[in-house]
């Protein structure tokens, strides 16, 4: 059974360029993967700048390129950190992140598998997020950040600071695990 929250897209037909990276949650310890998350996010951000060249005679083009690079690095890093932190290593299913360019946006699609219990807890958070004002929820989550470790501040920062649009698809699989697809749309 699947549940979709937000404006989830099947991402077909309009993609002009993109990259897909795949990681195994069980291949190396989490601490080592943490470093790889930052490197991978920076790689995706550098890749995107190719499509937004700077013009030395136009300072605005340099600022735009830097803004896009910063946003892509932040969003990709947050998606990878969340996926690595909450993926179920025993399921031995890789995590995948796609960065796709469409005519008016940069799209991220991250897929990971987790336990049914973790999937349900995250689904509850996403339902609350979808029904809340992101600015107010950010303040509430900031107060709760130290209590349970799963703050959601990265997702809220994407909404509040980068104007991103988020969507999710939750699939409950026959073995009871959850496959979670998180999509982020960054209009350009």
């Amino acid at each position: 059974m699947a549940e979709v929250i937000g404006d989830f897209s099947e991402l077909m037909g309009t993609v002009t360029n993109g990259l897909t990276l795949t990681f195994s949650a069980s291949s190396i310890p989490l601490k080592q993967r943490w470093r790889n998350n930052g490197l991978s996010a920076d790689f995706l951000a550098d890749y995107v700048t190719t499509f937004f060249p700077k013009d030395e005679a136009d300072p605005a083009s340099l600022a735009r390129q830097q803004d896009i690079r910063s946003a892509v690095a932040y969003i990709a890093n947050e998606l990878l950190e969340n996926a690595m932190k909450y993926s179920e290593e025993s399921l031995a299913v890789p995590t995948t992140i796609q960065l796709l360019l469409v005519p008016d946006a940069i799209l991220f699609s991250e897929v990971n598998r987790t336990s049914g219990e973790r999937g349900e807890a995250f689904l509850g958070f996403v339902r609350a997020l979808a029904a809340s004002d992101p600015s107010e929820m950010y303040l509430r989550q900031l107060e709760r950040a130290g209590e349970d470790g799963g703050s959601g501040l990265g997702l809220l920062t994407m909404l509040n600071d980068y104007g991103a649009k988020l969507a999710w698809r939750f699939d409950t699989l026959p073995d009871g695990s959850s496959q979670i697809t998180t999509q982020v749309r960054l209009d350009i």
Side-chain angles (χ1 to χ4, degrees):
M1 184 174 116
E3 181 169 341
V4 172
I5 298 175
D7 189 17
F8 193 86
S9 169
E10 293 302 326
L11 305 176
M12 303 298 283
T14 58
V15 175
T16 57
N17 288 288
L19 283 176
T20 301
L21 301 177
T22 302
F23 305 89
S24 174
S26 60
S27 63
I28 56 175
L30 181 62
K31 191 172 184 177
Q32 290 178 352
R33 280 185 276 143
W34 223 249
R35 180 177 174 273
N36 286 346
N37 294 340
L39 292 172
S40 299
D42 286 344
F43 174 73
L44 292 171
D46 288 339
Y47 171 78
V48 163
T49 61
T50 302
F51 302 98
F52 302 93
K54 60 184 175 189
D55 178 353
E56 298 298 336
D58 181 8
S61 70
L62 177 59
R64 181 171 190 248
Q65 185 187 60
Q66 290 173 340
D67 288 347
I68 290 171
R69 188 197 180 288
S70 175
V72 169
Y74 181 83
I75 292 168
N77 192 55
E78 284 299 320
L79 290 174
L80 287 170
E81 283 184 4
N82 287 343
M84 297 301 167
K85 191 173 6 175
Y86 298 111
S87 288
E88 189 65 40
E89 290 182 26
S90 65
L91 296 173
V93 177
T95 294
T96 302
I97 185 168
Q98 288 183 299
L99 175 89
L100 306 168
L101 298 172
V102 296
D104 58 348
I106 299 169
L107 306 174
F108 302 81
S109 181
E110 177 271 316
V111 180
N112 70 301
R113 295 250 314 255
T114 192
S115 67
E117 182 178 337
R118 280 184 168 172
E120 281 297 317
F122 186 57
L123 176 59
F125 172 80
V126 168
R127 285 177 179 152
L129 175 61
S132 299
D133 175 279
S135 298
E136 292 176 11
M137 189 167 183
Y138 183 87
L139 295 175
R140 283 195 313 268
Q141 290 304 112
L142 196 58
E143 292 173 1
R144 294 185 47 211
E147 295 175 10
D148 58 9
S151 68
L153 292 174
L155 297 172
L156 289 159
T157 299
M158 290 179 205
L159 292 167
N160 291 327
D161 293 2
Y162 295 102
K165 298 173 185 154
L166 280 62
W168 292 268
R169 179 183 167 114
F170 292 82
D171 290 289
T172 301
L173 303 178
D175 64 1
S177 65
S178 295
Q179 178 170 293
I180 302 169
T181 304
T182 302
Q183 289 185 345
V184 180
R185 179 184 174 96
L186 188 63
D187 290 331
I188 51 176

